């Protein structure tokens, strides 16, 4: 079957012609390249020879302090029509002499876009000329070093730079090569064409006629053969045809009856002659396993080789029992290898139709039925009952059965086991931004990465973006088990953190992992095991996500407190327990320039609750939307009440969840314009978690905010996931250095370097920089010395209630300066 195309003369000839044309093209381009390369080399040698004389003249002129002679040498070089540009350049890359006066006393890189300082320096250091061919412009760029005889020379010229036009020489070389190539190509083509015609007449054409003679026995005219050899072949073929016709007539009737009986049945028929080992396999039998008639060898070994390795012992045993008379009928259900590589389920039935003189079976005839659909349906139903249809991982029910088994057998165990609960961070944000279809694709990719990282342990999908992993007999001691848990968690986090591309969007995904160590002889229920692991997972999210936490009993109290906070937070707005405090933002002189609006909650039972405690709860429970709307509304009312004062720009903290709401910008503008306020009075502060979502959506929303008049700042810069490639394309106004970095100023060189790097980077991106958490004069002095634009912290003021902050606001035309204190004030 291989190289069947050789049997088609025209196709073969076309292929040979294509190869010949490709060979000519290849020879042409290689030869032309060689010719032009030689031409460029000849030009270079000629220019080098001229420049050697020029350099010698420059040195002599420098010794005699004859500037006119240097100019004459330059003009001599410029008279060559092929010299596009020539310049004598000093050690500072300044053009001292050039063939165009505009370039004098300018830097060479500014005058020539082809000039390379590095190439000139390399030529001077090696004292050898350097050159480069600019293929796009057909220019030869030469850096010729000038080695001064006297270091105190009059003229400080270190390099002669020449742009030499190669186009005329390259064109002439290519034209000469073209004429030579065309002549040789014509001669060789004519010779090969003659040879091809001769081969066609003596061999290919007679073979084609012979093939036609074989396929059409009775032609209108007898072919005229060029050699007697072909006539002999034709006579032998016609003789074989006559003999074959007689044989076919004898078997035609029997074959028709047999084929009608076999092919009319949807089952495959097989007939095994046990004496010879031959097996007749009907066309339908072979079709069931994907083969065309005649592809399979007619022998018992064929059937045996197709048997599934797991079914082979049973199938042979059933067959042998029937042949030995131990069973009255033969019926076997087994799998056979399909040609595609899959296995098909078949049911085989047979009966003995011939025996030898001793009563032993010598011929067996049977039917072969494809029952794959029935078997696959049974397997599919069983699989779906215990596996997740999206990721094909075991589902919650499968996991519960596994945990029940572990719990039942754990009474006799002496080693620890571990239950991991893995929850993707910010999956809902990604799902809302890109759509549920993309979210499903993300889950499928993550499940594959997890399966690879955790094999051979049981990995299950609990639902949504939550997975579970069971590792049995992880270690015999608590310390060793803890070490193994963190090692496995590290592999999990690393596998998930690999860049995932969903519908062209590159996403960075992390996971929070909670682990419950199942102690030896512990018989806790499966539900309790999952609850403990879930609790540890939520604690990992509380600690900033992308983390692993092992369950401990102390978490029970923390969870109870968070539940109370979540329940009471729902009514905190209506019960007027929430307040807005304003923390001033000042410039380097302490002049009030802005303020950040901050939420505060005074609980009637627990007193003051830190935003660090209730804001994460609000984000998880979805209450952050209500809190943010209330914050915006209250700030707007504050600005309206104090409209007679000189109001600073107010910064509002916006969560990534709310920013990704499709109606966010429209609702915000409606709230502001309804109170006759302008968007430029506000600055929106967004954290870097925002960049976990689709950056194209982020850019679109940023542009909408800028067009409306809002300014946008990145809060807590350096603690999240931002990419410089995003920052440089977003219409930002300011970066806010996180207080954790400011706190380290003066502690060590690394802390100082990080703050300085953020300030420099912000300015490089043309963004103002605000430092949060400034508490000492030393911190302020360092930030001010390195160009920080704005400052916020206890050194000037703590966050103030609205009434107190309003008293700080200057009247129109006034400037209110806040006095800094010597030491930080802690509240």
């Amino acid at each position: 079957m291989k190289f069947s195309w050789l049997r088609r003369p025209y196709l073969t000839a076309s292929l040979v012609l294509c190869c010949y044309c490709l060979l000519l093209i290849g020879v042409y381009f290689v030869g032309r390249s060689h010719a032009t390369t030689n031409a460029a080399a000849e030009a270079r040698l000629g220019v080098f020879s001229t420049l050697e004389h020029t350099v010698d003249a420059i040195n002599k002129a420098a010794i005699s302090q004859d500037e006119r002679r240097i100019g004459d040498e330059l003009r001599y070089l410029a008279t060559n029509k092929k010299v596009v540009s020539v310049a004598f350049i000093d050690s500072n890359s300044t053009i001292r002499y050039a063939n165009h006066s505009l370039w004098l006393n300018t830097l060479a890189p500014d005058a020539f876009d082809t000039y390379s300082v590095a190439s000139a320096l390399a030529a001077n250091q090696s004292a050898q000329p350097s050159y480069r061919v600019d293929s796009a412009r057909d220019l030869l760029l030469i850096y010729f070093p000038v080695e001064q005889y006297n270091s105190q020379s009059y003229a400080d010229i270190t390099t002669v730079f020449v742009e030499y036009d190669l186009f005329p020489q390259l064109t002439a070389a290519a034209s000469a090569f073209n004429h030579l190539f065309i002549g040789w190509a014509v001669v060789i083509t004519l010779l090969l064409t003659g040879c091809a015609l001769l081969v066609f007449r003596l061999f290919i054409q007679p073979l084609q006629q012979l093939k036609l003679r074989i396929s059409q026995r009775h032609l209108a005219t007898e072919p005229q053969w060029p050699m007697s050899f072909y006539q002999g072949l034709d006579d032998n073929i016609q003789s074989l045809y006559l003999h074959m016709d007689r044989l076919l007539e004898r078997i035609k009737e029997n074959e028709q009856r047999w084929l009608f009986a076999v092919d009319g049945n949807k089952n495959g028929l097989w007939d095994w002659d046990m004496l010879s080992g031959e097996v007749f396999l009907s066309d339908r039998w072979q079709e069931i396993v994907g083969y065309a008639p005649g592809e399979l060898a007619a022998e018992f070994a064929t059937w045996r080789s197709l048997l599934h390795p797991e079914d082979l012992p049973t199938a042979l045993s059933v067959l042998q029992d029937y042949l030995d008379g131990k069973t009255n009928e033969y019926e076997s259900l087994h799998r056979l290898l399909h040609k595609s590589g899959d296995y098909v389920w078949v049911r085989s039935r047979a009966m003995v139709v011939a025996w030898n003189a001793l009563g032993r079976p010598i011929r067996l005839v049977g039917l072969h039925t494809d029952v794959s659909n029935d078997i696959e349906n049974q397997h599919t139903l069983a699989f779906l009952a215990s596996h997740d249809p999206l990721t094909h991982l075991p589902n919650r029910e499968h996991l519960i059965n596994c945990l029940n088994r572990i719990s039942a057998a754990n009474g006799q165990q002496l080693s620890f086991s571990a239950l991991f609960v893995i929850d993707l961070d910010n999956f809902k944000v990604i799902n809302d931004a890109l759509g549920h279809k993309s979210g499903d694709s993300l889950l499928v990719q993550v499940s594959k990465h997890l399966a690879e990282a955790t094999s051979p342990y049981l990995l299950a999908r609990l639902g949504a973006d939550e997975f579970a992993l069971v590792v049995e007999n992880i270690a015999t001691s608590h310390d060793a088990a803890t070490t193994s848990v963190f090692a496995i968690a590290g592999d999990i986090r690393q596998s998930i953190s690999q860049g995932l591309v969903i519908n062209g969007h590159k996403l960075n995904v992390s996971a929070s992992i909670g682990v419950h160590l199942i102690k030896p002889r512990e018989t806790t229920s499966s539900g309790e095991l999952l609850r403990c692991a879930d609790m540890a997972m939520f604690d990992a999210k509380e600690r900033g996500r992308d983390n692993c936490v092992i369950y401990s009993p102390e978490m029970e109290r923390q969870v109870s407190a968070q539940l109370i906070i979540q329940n009471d937070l729902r009514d905190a707005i209506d019960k007027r327990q929430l307040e807005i405090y304003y923390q001033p933002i000042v410039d380097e002189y302490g002049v009030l320039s802005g303020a950040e609006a901050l939420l505060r909650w005074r609980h009637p039972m627990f007193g003051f609750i830190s935003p660090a405690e209730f804001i994460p709860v609000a984000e998880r429970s979805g209450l952050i939307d209500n809190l943010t709307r209330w914050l915006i509304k209250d700030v707007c009312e504050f600005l309206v009440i104090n409209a007679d004062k000189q109001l600073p720009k107010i910064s509002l903290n916006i969560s990534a969840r709310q920013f990704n709401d499709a109606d966010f910008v429209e609702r915000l503008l409606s709230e502001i314009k309804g109170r006759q306020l302008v968007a430029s009075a506000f600055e929106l502060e967004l954290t870097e978690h925002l960049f976990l979502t689709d950056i194209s959506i982020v850019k679109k929303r940023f542009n909408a905010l800028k067009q409306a008049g809002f300014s946008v700042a990145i809060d807590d810069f350096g603690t999240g996931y931002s990419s410089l490639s995003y920052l440089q394309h977003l219409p930002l106004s300011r970066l806010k250095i996180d207080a954790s970095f400011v706190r380290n100023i003066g502690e060590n060189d690394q802390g100082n370097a990080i703050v300085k790097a953020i300030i420099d980077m912000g300015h490089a991106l043309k963004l103002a920089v605000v430092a949060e958490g400034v508490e000492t004069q030393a911190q302020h002095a360092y930030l001010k010395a390195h160009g920080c634009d704005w400052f916020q912290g206890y050194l000037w003021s703590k966050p103030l209630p609205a009434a107190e902050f309003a008293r700080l606001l200057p009247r129109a035309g006034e400037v209110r300066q806040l006095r800094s204190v010597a030491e930080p004030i802690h509240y």
Side-chain angles (χ1 to χ4, degrees):
M1 298 298 291
K2 293 183 179 180
F3 305 109
S4 59
W5 54 270
L6 289 173
R7 303 174 186 175
R8 303 174 184 176
Y10 295 108
L11 181 60
T12 304
S14 300
L15 185 60
V16 171
L17 180 60
C18 289
C19 292
Y20 175 67
C21 292
L22 290 175
L23 179 62
L24 283 180
I25 293 171
V27 171
Y28 173 76
F29 282 109
V30 171
R32 179 174 176 175
S33 175
H34 183 68
T36 55
T37 300
N38 288 341
E42 290 176 3
R44 174 174 55 82
L45 292 175
V47 176
F48 275 15
S49 177
T50 303
L51 290 180
E52 286 176 358
H53 176 270
T54 300
V55 169
D56 187 57
I58 290 173
N59 275 310
K60 291 178 180 179
I63 293 172
S64 62
Q65 299 187 3
D66 186 357
E67 185 176 358
R68 181 184 57 77
R69 185 174 180 181
I70 296 176
D72 291 342
E73 193 64 31
L74 175 71
R75 284 187 290 274
Y76 170 73
L77 285 176
T79 56
N80 190 332
K81 295 181 180 181
K82 297 177 183 177
V83 174
V84 179
S85 305
V86 59
F88 296 169
I89 301 168
D90 64 15
S91 59
N92 295 322
S93 297
T94 302
I95 300 174
R96 298 287 297 275
Y97 300 89
N99 61 332
H100 293 290
S101 59
L102 291 177
W103 297 337
L104 294 178
N105 298 320
T106 62
L107 292 177
D110 296 336
F112 307 110
D113 59 351
T114 58
Y115 185 80
S116 169
V117 176
S119 298
L121 181 60
N124 291 329
Q125 289 177 346
S126 63
Q128 294 293 329
S130 174
Y131 69 93
R132 179 172 65 86
V133 175
D134 187 341
S135 301
R137 310 182 195 180
D138 288 335
L139 290 179
L140 177 63
L141 309 177
I142 298 176
Y143 304 84
F144 208 95
V146 178
E147 186 175 0
Q148 300 288 347
Y149 296 152
N150 182 2
S151 60
Q152 302 298 323
S153 176
Y154 167 74
D156 180 21
I157 298 175
T158 60
T159 306
V160 175
F161 175 68
V162 176
E163 288 182 337
Y164 187 84
D165 186 8
L166 291 174
F167 181 77
Q169 288 169 271
L170 296 182
T171 303
S175 177
F177 175 77
N178 289 342
H179 290 304
L180 180 64
F181 177 81
I182 291 172
W184 278 106
V186 169
V187 172
I188 294 174
T189 302
L190 290 175
L191 289 175
L192 291 177
T193 302
C195 293
L197 291 174
L198 184 62
V199 170
F200 178 79
R201 180 69 184 88
L202 294 179
F203 299 101
I204 296 178
Q205 189 179 41
L207 290 175
Q208 289 178 331
Q209 292 176 335
L210 189 61
K211 178 182 177 182
L212 183 64
R213 182 74 164 158
I214 294 173
S215 60
Q216 302 179 18
R217 295 172 56 188
H218 306 290
L219 294 176
T221 58
E222 187 80 14
Q224 297 297 320
W225 305 109
M227 292 183 290
S228 59
F229 168 76
Y230 294 109
Q231 184 64 54
L233 283 177
D234 186 28
D235 294 341
N236 291 335
I237 289 170
Q238 298 305 317
S239 176
L240 288 174
Y241 267 127
L242 294 174
H243 181 67
M244 183 179 64
D245 289 342
R246 289 193 293 268
L247 293 177
L248 288 176
E249 286 294 333
R250 295 178 182 177
I251 63 174
K252 186 175 181 179
E253 292 184 359
N254 291 332
E255 182 183 21
Q256 290 176 345
R257 296 189 185 101
W258 175 256
L259 291 176
F260 178 79
V262 173
D263 294 337
N265 197 320
K266 291 184 180 181
N267 298 320
L269 179 67
W270 56 274
D271 187 344
W272 179 23
D273 186 341
M274 301 172 66
L275 295 178
S276 64
E278 293 183 357
V279 178
F280 167 78
L281 302 174
S282 70
D283 293 349
R284 174 59 183 160
W285 195 102
Q286 298 180 71
E287 179 187 338
I288 289 174
V289 289
Y291 290 90
E295 277 195 86
L296 294 175
E299 54 189 22
F300 178 77
T302 298
W303 172 74
R304 179 168 179 155
S305 65
L306 295 177
L307 275 169
H308 193 287
E310 296 177 1
D311 299 341
L312 179 62
T314 302
L316 293 179
S317 176
V318 170
L319 177 60
Q320 192 62 49
D321 288 345
Y322 175 69
L323 295 177
D324 292 341
K326 296 180 180 179
T327 56
N328 295 327
E329 59 181 15
Y330 169 74
E331 181 174 347
S332 174
L333 181 64
H334 50 259
R335 287 166 288 180
L336 293 180
L337 181 62
H338 194 273
K339 187 177 182 180
S340 64
D342 298 324
Y343 282 91
V344 295
W345 284 94
V346 298
R347 177 175 284 108
S348 185
R349 298 184 180 91
M351 62 180 297
V352 177
V353 295
W355 294 262
N356 62 10
L358 300 176
R360 294 294 300 171
I362 58 173
R363 186 180 174 199
L364 199 63
V365 177
L367 293 175
H368 168 105
T369 307
D370 184 357
V371 294
S372 297
N373 290 337
D374 297 339
I375 301 298
E376 287 178 3
N377 290 338
Q378 296 174 16
H379 289 176
T380 300
L381 292 174
F383 181 86
L384 291 177
S386 60
H387 286 74
D388 173 53
L390 176 64
T391 62
H392 296 167
L393 293 176
N395 57 16
R396 179 182 288 270
E397 182 179 352
H398 191 133
L399 176 70
I400 293 297
N401 291 335
C402 176
L403 293 177
N404 288 337
R405 175 183 58 77
I406 293 174
S407 181
N410 204 41
Q412 307 299 323
Q413 292 292 332
L414 298 177
S415 58
F416 287 82
S417 296
L419 170 62
F420 294 71
V421 171
I422 307 159
D423 189 86
L424 303 184
D425 297 328
N426 301 297
F427 175 75
K428 188 177 188 305
V429 176
I430 297 174
N431 205 34
D432 292 342
L434 301 183
H436 293 287
K437 188 174 181 180
S438 296
D440 288 346
S441 298
L442 173 62
L443 290 174
V444 171
Q445 287 197 32
V446 168
S447 66
K448 290 179 180 178
H449 288 186
L450 284 174
E452 293 174 359
T454 59
S455 177
Y457 307 125
L458 172 65
L459 176 67
R461 183 189 179 201
L462 296 179
D465 60 332
E466 196 172 34
F467 300 85
L469 176 69
V470 178
V471 181
E472 299 185 50
N473 302 321
I474 193 171
T476 56
S477 68
H478 187 275
D479 291 343
T482 302
T483 301
S484 297
V485 161
F486 283 117
I488 295 173
D491 293 340
I492 292 173
R493 291 166 59 199
Q494 184 177 4
S495 69
I496 293 177
S497 65
Q498 299 174 5
L500 301 174
V501 178
I502 305 297
N503 295 334
H505 304 288
K506 186 175 181 179
L507 303 177
N508 296 315
V509 182
S510 62
S512 299
I513 304 173
V515 184
H516 178 59
L517 279 176
I518 306 173
K519 301 175 183 177
R521 305 185 187 281
E522 180 182 351
T523 56
T524 308
S525 68
S526 58
E528 183 65 15
L529 293 175
L530 276 173
R531 190 187 70 82
C532 293
D534 267 333
M535 194 177 299
M537 181 270 294
F538 282 117
D539 190 62
K541 286 191 176 293
E542 288 292 326
R543 299 187 187 189
R545 298 180 172 87
D546 193 17
N547 204 349
C548 174
V549 173
I550 299 177
Y551 169 80
S552 64
E554 290 77 13
M555 293 179 185
E556 302 283 353
R557 180 187 60 79
Q558 296 175 2
V559 172
S560 299
Q562 289 179 3
L563 287 175
I564 293 174
I565 290 176
Q566 179 175 327
N567 292 331
D568 291 352
L569 190 57
R570 297 182 185 276
D571 302 324
I573 297 177
D574 296 335
K575 293 180 179 180
R576 300 182 180 276
Q577 296 174 1
L578 292 172
E579 300 178 62
I580 296 180
Y581 278 49
Y582 297 85
Q583 185 170 29
I585 299 174
V586 300
D587 64 9
E588 60 179 321
Y589 303 106
V591 175
L592 180 65
S593 304
E596 181 178 0
L598 302 169
L599 276 173
R600 293 293 184 264
W601 183 15
R602 296 189 182 277
H603 194 279
M605 181 182 301
F606 301 113
F608 177 80
I609 299 178
S610 170
E613 293 184 40
F614 72 82
I615 291 297
V617 174
E619 289 181 337
R620 283 199 309 271
S621 61
L623 294 174
I624 192 66
D625 294 341
N626 294 336
L627 292 181
T628 305
R629 282 196 291 269
W630 179 83
L631 170 70
I632 295 171
K633 178 180 177 183
D634 199 81
V635 169
C636 290
E637 292 176 354
F638 173 81
L639 295 179
V640 171
I641 293 171
N642 295 278
D644 59 329
K645 299 181 180 179
Q646 186 174 328
L647 295 171
K649 188 183 291 287
I650 303 298
S651 298
L652 304 174
N653 289 286
I654 305 298
S655 70
R657 172 193 177 99
Q658 190 158 28
F659 182 83
N660 282 298
D661 188 338
D663 300 326
F664 167 69
V665 177
E666 183 178 347
R667 287 204 317 268
L668 181 58
L669 285 172
S670 176
E671 189 73 32
I672 292 173
K673 292 180 179 177
R675 291 173 171 77
Q676 297 183 345
L677 298 173
V678 292
S680 59
F682 299 89
E683 181 174 73
L684 306 184
E685 293 190 8
L686 302 162
T687 64
E688 296 172 273
H689 289 86
L690 182 70
F691 299 113
L692 287 169
T693 58
D694 184 2
I695 192 62
S696 62
I697 297 176
V698 173
K699 287 182 179 178
K700 181 179 179 181
R701 212 146 288 163
F702 265 69
N703 290 330
L705 290 171
K706 181 182 179 182
Q707 186 176 2
F710 291 100
S711 58
V712 183
I714 294 298
D715 196 14
D716 301 335
F717 182 77
T719 63
Y721 306 89
S722 64
S723 167
L724 297 184
S725 63
Y726 297 161
L727 295 181
Q728 65 180 339
H729 293 108
L730 295 177
L732 297 172
S733 58
R734 297 198 289 194
L735 295 182
K736 299 194 74 174
I737 306 176
D738 188 66
S740 62
F741 297 129
V742 175
R743 194 177 303 118
N744 290 331
I745 292 177
E747 297 294 329
N748 51 58
D749 293 340
Q750 290 84 354
N752 293 350
I754 290 175
V755 172
K756 181 180 182 300
I758 294 176
I759 295 173
D760 292 343
M761 184 190 65
H763 289 163
L765 294 173
K766 298 182 180 180
L767 302 176
V769 180
V770 183
E772 296 181 309
V774 182
E775 297 185 349
T776 68
Q777 290 287 0
Q779 293 170 352
H780 176 231
Y782 182 86
L783 291 165
K784 183 177 178 180
H786 288 87
C788 186
D789 305 289
W790 312 95
F791 307 88
Q792 177 182 354
Y794 281 11
L795 185 61
W796 291 273
S797 174
K798 65 177 181 178
L800 301 172
E804 290 186 34
F805 178 68
R807 287 196 288 271
L808 293 178
L809 298 177
R811 297 290 179 180
E814 295 180 353
V815 175
R816 183 64 57 87
Q817 186 174 20
L818 298 185
R819 182 176 59 85
S820 63
V821 295
E823 296 296 333
I825 301 175
H826 299 287
Y827 297 90

